Amino acid sequence: MGPSKMTTIHVLIIDDDDDLLEISKRFVNKIDDTIEITTVNSGKRGLEILASMYFDVVVCDFQMEKMNGLDVLKTIREQQNQIPFIMFTGHSHEQIAIQALNLGATNYLTKTGNPKTLYTELVHLIRRAVEHDRTERALRESEELYRSLVEASPDAVFVFNLEGKILRLNQQAKRLLGIENIEEIIGKDYRYWLVGKQAKTANIEFEKLVRGEALSQREYKFTLENGEPITVEAHSTSLKNSHGEPVGILAVVRDITRRNAIEEEIRISEERLRSLANNIDSAIWLSSPSNPSKIIYLNPGFEQIWEVPVEHALQNPEVFTESIHPEDKARVETAIADFVREQIDYNLQYRILTGQGELKWIWAKGFFILGKEKGVRQFGGIAQDITEWKKTQKALEESLTQFDRLFAASINGVALCDTSGILKQANSAILDMLGYEHNELIGKNISEFTVQEYHEDFFRTLSEMRIDTQIRSLKYEYYHKNGTRIPVSLNIWTNIDQNDEIIGYWIIIRDISKQKDMIEKLSESKEKYRRERERLSELAHHMRHDLVAGLQNIEAFSELIKDNMDFKLIDRIRENARQMRKVLDRSVELADAGLVIGKMQQTDMAKLVDEVAYRVIPENVTVEHKNLPIVKCDREKIEQVLHNILTNAIQHGKAKTIVVFSQELESELQIVIRNDGESIPDKIRKQIFRGDYFLRTSESLGMQIVRRIIEAHGWSITLDEGEPVSFRISIPRK
């Protein structure tokens, strides 16, 4: 712990007499209330508390049990603690006092005489010991600080006596002189490294310092032990005693060899820059550091651009603002004002009208130069005539605008890749085609979304085009982001730079999926037409068979009536005619069912079931429905579906109860038509919805009509396995 910043003196009194401790504390505090007393009644306890608390002085008795005062003092000094120590004891033996002083005691006081006088003396000894200790400590700290500053100095520091001999130097001085051992240099004369006029000048300055006249600052040329010449800058002053008399010389020396070399390089560089400025066709200007609006330098390039003599412009600075094109003047003046106020570089392009009235485009940049004086900045700038460049840029921009419009508006994909196939540009048509965002494609190799089987051919083509630059036409397949394949046609040609070097390839990409789909659909249509023709042929044969059979029956019944006059057979003839008419009607229905469905409308399936049941269901059959939805469909065609399914359930299945209900699944809605009639034989069940299957009776055509209508809606129909008989119509949710 460090000493208190207040005037309070902290004293530790060690004595095995508790009464004496109390008396000592009271007397001392009565005499001087700035002394704060801490008491302990043993040497061991005194050492412990001294290790944990700060005290300015220790007052200790000699005669104590286990550890006497000398033992306490000896232990404190062995711990390198130099705290003032006053031996305060009842023993008056001179030998004890000598031992205490030899061990490092500050003073010795016997406990005899008048208490007031005794403790007044003790307070005096305490104050004197603390004052002396604090003074010595401050002196040590000051010397240590001085030593640290000297050693930490980036410059060499020397101390000379009045005869010019070196008494002391720091580590930086060793480095400056190139020596390893300080002893090599102590005692040498300051002129040891100086020759000729340098030594004479140094003598004059040194004599002034010895007389204590003034500070000295000079440059000298040293010659080191190894013969290397260096230039140093020396700042010297006299060291004086308390009477103001010179007792030595302090010199701070800095090696400025490199600085001088840099300054020379700067001078040469400035000469070169001045020569360059006088010979380039750009205008260069510099302002006065004290007045930014005053131009103090213009190079000959200004006259070439502005077509105004340099001398005239320097004398008439308004030339600059007056030459600015009226449409650009406000913008330029604002930028320059901000430049001067905020001291931030500017970079401008604007138009001027020259002294000859010619319109020119100027590129100008303003900047700052740090002056020699700290904080002072000088304004400067450079300007170039960019009129021709502007014309070229405008033509290029117009060309690029046209290209960008074509690039963006093209219905075909347009891509630019480098020689290895890495995409550099891609228009929106490609992004739409492949399903990617722009940042997902750029930087990728085209092969990453090309189907693997085309990779070898693609890279071979790119390699061949480095020799033969003719346009290539290819057909590949690309991967969409969702993983599907897209057939594409490609046109590839080389991208050439201004040196006629191939730097990449342009690719026109067309999605030929629709073209391919149309070809496939045409092929499918032809195949479907062929199958339909065969199917209709087969249907016609079935119809012919049924109609011929009916006609034969009519002819046979007619002969029987003629021969036997059995008029009861006329009913049989009528029944056959009715069956023949039904075959024809169902055939037309089947053909109609294959046509595109008609008007789609929202249809309440519950009402539709009720309407069909009312027309076709006899009184002895029950029809029920549950939770039937409203669906969008061709109402007349779906009515025909219900008519056929319900009629077949009654006529062929002999059903007594028919139930129609719905079921909701995640991806579809199902309508189930279930009856309790006779089961459908397995042979018929497996073939009932096949497009090429026909039964020999007119009723067999009903399920074909049902299937065609359902599929025309984009739905599907199935027959459940087992009993009861259940037809299931599935309607996708999307």
Side-chain angles (χ1 to χ4, degrees):
M1 298 175 62
S4 170
K5 293 183 180 180
M6 300 178 65
T7 58
T8 301
I9 297 175
H10 299 275
V11 178
L12 174 64
I13 299 180
I14 306 172
D15 200 308
D16 58 356
D17 186 340
D18 290 334
D19 291 337
L20 184 63
L21 288 175
E22 179 65 24
I23 292 169
S24 298
K25 185 173 183 179
R26 288 179 175 273
F27 265 100
V28 170
N29 285 338
K30 183 177 181 181
I31 297 169
D32 190 339
D33 60 1
T34 64
I35 297 177
E36 183 178 295
I37 302 294
T38 300
T39 61
V40 292
N41 58 8
S42 73
K44 181 179 179 182
R45 178 59 184 152
L47 292 174
E48 290 174 353
I49 197 168
L50 185 62
S52 61
M53 295 177 61
Y54 174 80
F55 293 96
D56 292 296
V57 64
V58 174
V59 177
C60 185
D61 184 26
F62 166 70
Q63 188 66 43
M64 295 184 294
E65 293 184 5
K66 296 183 180 180
M67 177 178 281
N68 63 31
L70 292 177
D71 294 333
V72 173
L73 175 59
K74 183 178 180 181
T75 302
I76 290 174
R77 294 297 184 247
E78 286 175 350
Q79 295 173 350
Q80 304 302 314
N81 189 343
Q82 299 303 317
I83 186 172
F85 189 97
I86 299 173
M87 186 70 76
F88 187 48
T89 178
H91 289 271
S92 58
H93 296 295
E94 183 178 342
Q95 187 63 32
I96 296 174
I98 294 172
Q99 289 182 31
L101 293 174
N102 288 338
L103 287 173
T106 307
N107 223 314
Y108 184 93
L109 181 64
T110 59
K111 304 174 183 177
T112 58
N114 180 273
K116 184 176 181 180
T117 303
L118 174 66
Y119 283 104
T120 299
E121 177 65 16
L122 177 61
V123 168
H124 173 71
L125 291 177
I126 289 172
R127 280 204 162 276
R128 189 172 67 181
V130 171
E131 182 178 331
H132 178 74
D133 181 65
R134 288 181 178 177
T135 301
E136 283 194 344
R137 186 182 302 149
L139 181 60
R140 287 196 302 271
E141 290 174 354
S142 176
E143 289 178 348
E144 184 61 31
L145 177 61
Y146 171 76
R147 187 179 297 105
S148 299
L149 289 173
V150 169
E151 288 301 327
S153 172
D155 299 319
V157 179
F158 297 87
V159 176
F160 302 94
N161 64 17
L162 296 180
E163 286 75 39
K165 307 299 182 182
I166 296 175
L167 299 178
R168 185 181 300 174
L169 68 160
N170 67 352
Q171 294 297 319
Q172 196 63 32
K174 287 174 54 182
R175 297 188 187 96
L176 174 71
L177 299 176
I179 61 172
E180 295 293 334
N181 190 353
I182 290 180
E183 300 303 324
E184 298 177 23
I185 205 72
I186 297 297
K188 285 192 176 182
D189 192 90
Y190 68 89
R191 290 161 294 197
Y192 180 79
W193 297 274
L194 300 171
V195 293
K197 292 182 179 180
Q198 298 288 313
K200 185 177 180 180
T201 301
N203 284 338
I204 295 172
E205 294 297 317
F206 194 84
E207 289 174 1
K208 291 179 181 179
L209 292 168
V210 169
R211 292 195 298 269
E213 290 185 7
L215 297 173
S216 174
Q217 180 177 338
R218 289 280 182 174
E219 285 189 16
Y220 298 100
K221 293 189 181 297
F222 277 15
T223 301
L224 302 180
E225 295 280 359
N226 61 6
E228 178 187 354
I230 63 171
T231 303
V232 300
E233 184 178 72
H235 296 260
S236 306
T237 187
S238 299
L239 297 176
K240 299 179 181 180
N241 61 18
S242 59
H243 303 292
E245 300 169 342
V247 294
I249 306 298
L250 174 69
V252 178
V253 181
R254 176 176 298 173
D255 184 353
I256 60 171
T257 308
R258 178 59 181 160
R259 188 185 76 185
N260 286 356
I262 291 173
E263 288 176 351
E264 178 62 16
E265 290 175 2
I266 291 173
R267 186 191 65 78
I268 295 172
S269 177
E270 287 177 347
E271 287 293 332
R272 291 172 178 168
L273 287 174
R274 189 174 294 107
S275 176
L276 176 64
N278 290 334
N279 290 281
I280 64 173
D281 56 5
S282 298
I284 298 175
W285 59 270
L286 291 173
S287 72
S288 168
S290 59
N291 183 6
S293 63
K294 183 179 180 180
I295 304 300
I296 60 174
Y297 172 78
L298 281 172
N299 73 330
F302 170 81
E303 189 168 335
Q304 295 179 28
I305 298 174
W306 264 262
E307 298 176 350
V308 174
V310 169
E311 295 77 10
H312 178 74
L314 289 174
Q315 295 172 9
N316 302 276
E318 65 273 9
V319 165
F320 292 94
T321 55
E322 290 176 355
S323 66
I324 301 172
H325 192 284
E327 294 179 3
D328 297 338
K329 181 171 290 188
R331 175 172 59 88
V332 176
E333 289 180 344
T334 299
I336 294 177
D338 292 342
F339 166 67
V340 174
R341 182 179 61 256
E342 304 294 339
Q343 297 194 6
I344 300 173
D345 294 358
Y346 73 80
N347 194 321
L348 292 174
Q349 292 181 17
Y350 59 93
R351 292 164 291 177
I352 65 168
L353 294 171
T354 69
Q356 302 299 319
E358 182 183 355
L359 178 67
K360 289 185 179 180
W361 271 98
I362 299 298
W363 168 80
K365 178 177 176 59
F367 50 84
F368 294 88
I369 304 169
L370 188 62
K372 292 182 179 179
E373 296 181 21
K374 186 176 181 182
V376 177
R377 305 186 78 183
Q378 187 175 8
F379 299 91
I382 185 169
Q384 289 181 336
D385 181 353
I386 59 170
T387 305
E388 291 302 318
W389 178 78
K390 272 289 185 179
K391 292 178 181 178
T392 303
Q393 184 187 43
K394 183 177 180 182
L396 179 60
E397 288 175 352
E398 290 174 353
S399 176
L400 289 175
T401 299
Q402 292 296 328
F403 174 80
D404 289 342
R405 288 174 180 171
L406 290 172
F407 184 80
S410 175
I411 61 173
N412 295 318
V414 183
L416 174 64
C417 67
D418 64 16
T419 53
S420 61
I422 301 297
L423 273 174
K424 300 298 182 183
Q425 294 185 43
N427 69 346
S428 58
I430 290 183
L431 304 180
D432 295 340
M433 186 187 307
L434 300 179
Y436 288 94
E437 296 295 329
H438 187 267
N439 60 350
E440 294 178 310
L441 275 188
I442 300 304
K444 287 191 174 182
N445 198 294
I446 294 180
S447 62
E448 292 186 38
F449 50 85
T450 303
V451 173
Q452 179 68 35
E453 62 191 80
Y454 301 105
H455 283 192
E456 183 178 350
D457 183 69
F458 174 68
F459 288 113
R460 183 174 62 251
T461 299
L462 295 188
S463 178
E464 291 173 352
M465 291 183 71
R466 295 176 186 173
I467 302 172
D468 181 2
T469 59
Q470 291 184 357
I471 296 177
R472 299 295 201 278
S473 297
L474 307 167
K475 287 189 177 180
Y476 291 159
E477 283 186 308
Y478 284 167
Y479 283 117
H480 190 276
K481 186 178 181 180
N482 62 16
T484 58
R485 290 188 176 195
I486 305 171
V488 295
S489 67
L490 310 178
N491 288 85
I492 309 177
W493 68 94
T494 53
N495 182 30
I496 308 294
D497 67 7
Q498 58 186 3
N499 299 317
D500 290 332
E501 296 289 336
I502 298 175
I503 58 174
Y505 303 92
W506 284 102
I507 307 176
I508 300 294
I509 306 171
R510 298 179 185 86
D511 183 350
I512 58 174
S513 301
K514 292 182 179 179
Q515 177 184 344
K516 188 174 181 180
D517 289 345
M518 288 176 65
I519 293 173
E520 291 177 354
K521 287 179 179 178
L522 179 60
S523 177
E524 290 174 0
S525 180
K526 289 180 179 179
E527 178 62 23
K528 184 177 180 181
Y529 171 74
R530 184 190 63 78
R531 290 198 305 269
E532 286 296 317
R533 188 174 60 188
E534 291 177 355
R535 185 174 177 281
L536 289 173
S537 176
E538 184 177 358
L539 175 60
H541 282 80
H542 281 291
M543 288 173 58
R544 179 183 179 280
H545 177 275
D546 292 339
L547 292 173
V548 168
L551 289 172
Q552 286 176 343
N553 289 339
I554 289 173
E555 289 177 359
F557 286 138
S558 298
E559 287 296 325
L560 289 173
I561 292 172
K562 180 180 177 182
D563 293 341
N564 302 320
M565 298 302 288
D566 187 356
F567 294 102
K568 292 181 180 179
L569 295 176
I570 292 176
D571 292 334
R572 303 288 296 277
I573 292 173
R574 288 174 179 167
E575 179 62 23
N576 275 273
R578 188 183 66 79
Q579 292 290 348
M580 291 171 64
R581 184 167 57 253
K582 188 176 289 187
V583 169
L584 290 172
D585 290 343
R586 292 294 178 86
S587 298
V588 172
E589 288 177 357
L590 183 60
D592 287 344
L595 297 176
V596 178
I597 57 177
K599 180 180 179 182
M600 303 285 282
Q601 58 182 306
Q602 295 293 337
T603 302
D604 187 333
M605 292 299 293
K607 291 182 178 180
L608 190 58
V609 170
D610 288 339
E611 292 175 9
V612 174
Y614 178 76
R615 291 198 303 270
V616 303
I617 301 300
E619 293 182 356
N620 63 335
V621 176
T622 301
V623 177
E624 300 175 358
H625 56 76
K626 302 176 183 177
N627 301 325
L628 291 181
I630 295 175
V631 298
K632 191 172 184 179
C633 63
D634 182 335
R635 194 178 193 281
E636 293 180 357
K637 293 291 178 69
I638 297 303
E639 180 181 353
Q640 188 177 354
V641 167
L642 293 173
H643 181 281
N644 286 344
I645 293 177
L646 297 182
T647 301
N648 282 337
I650 297 167
Q651 292 182 357
H652 299 288
K654 311 302 181 185
K656 296 301 181 183
T657 301
I658 301 173
V659 181
V660 185
F661 60 92
S662 66
Q663 291 182 340
E664 292 194 14
L665 302 181
E666 183 177 353
S667 60
E668 64 185 19
L669 175 68
Q670 294 182 346
I671 297 176
V672 181
I673 306 170
R674 180 173 292 167
N675 69 76
D676 61 353
E678 298 175 0
S679 62
I680 299 174
D682 289 341
K683 182 178 180 181
I684 296 176
R685 179 187 294 273
K686 294 177 181 179
Q687 304 182 69
I688 191 167
F689 291 119
R690 279 174 48 185
D692 58 351
Y693 178 74
F694 296 95
L695 297 179
R696 297 181 59 84
T697 65
S698 60
E699 287 81 357
S700 68
L701 298 176
M703 289 301 104
Q704 301 301 316
I705 294 170
V706 167
R707 179 183 65 82
R708 295 291 293 274
I709 292 174
I710 292 297
E711 291 178 352
H713 278 76
W715 305 349
S716 63
I717 184 168
T718 56
L719 177 61
D720 289 357
E721 296 288 338
E723 295 184 4
V725 176
S726 299
F727 289 92
R728 191 175 299 271
I729 299 172
S730 298
I731 305 172
R733 291 193 179 277
K734 293 185 180 179

